Amino acid sequence: MNLTLWIAAGLLAAVALVGGTSKTFIPKEKLAAQHGGEWTGHAGVGFVTTLGILELLAAAGLILPAVLDIAPVMVPVTAVCWVLLMIGAMITHGRLGQFNLVMLNSVYLAIAGFVAWGRFALEPFTS
């Protein structure tokens, strides 16, 4: 179970890293031109950048606390925060009629929920 939780957290961290990097470093206009980026046309530059920074922090929070053994409880806390972020993403994409992205976000939500549940209840990190 521990390996499965590590793989799930690593997958989410990779998704967060890619998403955060694109939202933080790619101009908003270029993001809006990409498939699924229509939501950025309705959002301010600061909001998009803030989401990108939150995703970069999530990427770090899903892996580094456990690897460095510094406050490893932050891994499931970060996973819960990712669940909340995905709920917001699902609402946003649903309002825009992007139901394929709603389904993708629901998969990420389920994985994050699994990591949170697994690290809080099934196989918590012990110091």
Side-chain angles (χ1 to χ4, degrees):
M1 181 58 71
N2 186 43
L3 179 61
T4 305
L5 288 166
W6 271 106
I7 291 169
L11 175 65
L12 282 180
V15 167
L17 184 63
V18 170
T21 302
S22 67
K23 289 177 188 73
T24 304
F25 300 111
I26 296 177
K28 182 184 125 171
E29 296 76 24
K30 189 171 180 183
L31 279 177
Q34 294 177 351
H35 174 71
E38 293 88 10
W39 68 271
T40 59
H42 306 289
V45 175
F47 180 72
V48 175
T49 303
T50 300
L51 283 178
I53 291 168
L54 288 174
E55 289 183 18
L56 291 173
L57 290 172
L62 286 164
I63 301 296
L64 291 180
V67 169
L68 299 175
D69 197 25
I70 299 172
V73 72
M74 290 308 296
V75 172
V77 170
T78 303
V80 169
C81 292
W82 187 261
V83 166
L84 297 174
L85 187 66
M86 289 302 101
I87 290 170
M90 291 168 66
I91 291 169
T92 300
H93 290 301
R95 287 181 179 168
L96 294 172
Q98 300 170 325
F99 298 109
N100 56 339
L101 294 175
V102 171
M103 291 305 299
L104 181 62
N105 291 139
S106 69
V107 170
Y108 297 151
L109 184 147
I111 296 169
F114 171 69
V115 171
W117 173 60
R119 288 303 181 198
F120 274 135
L122 294 179
E123 186 114 11
F125 293 112
T126 55
S127 297

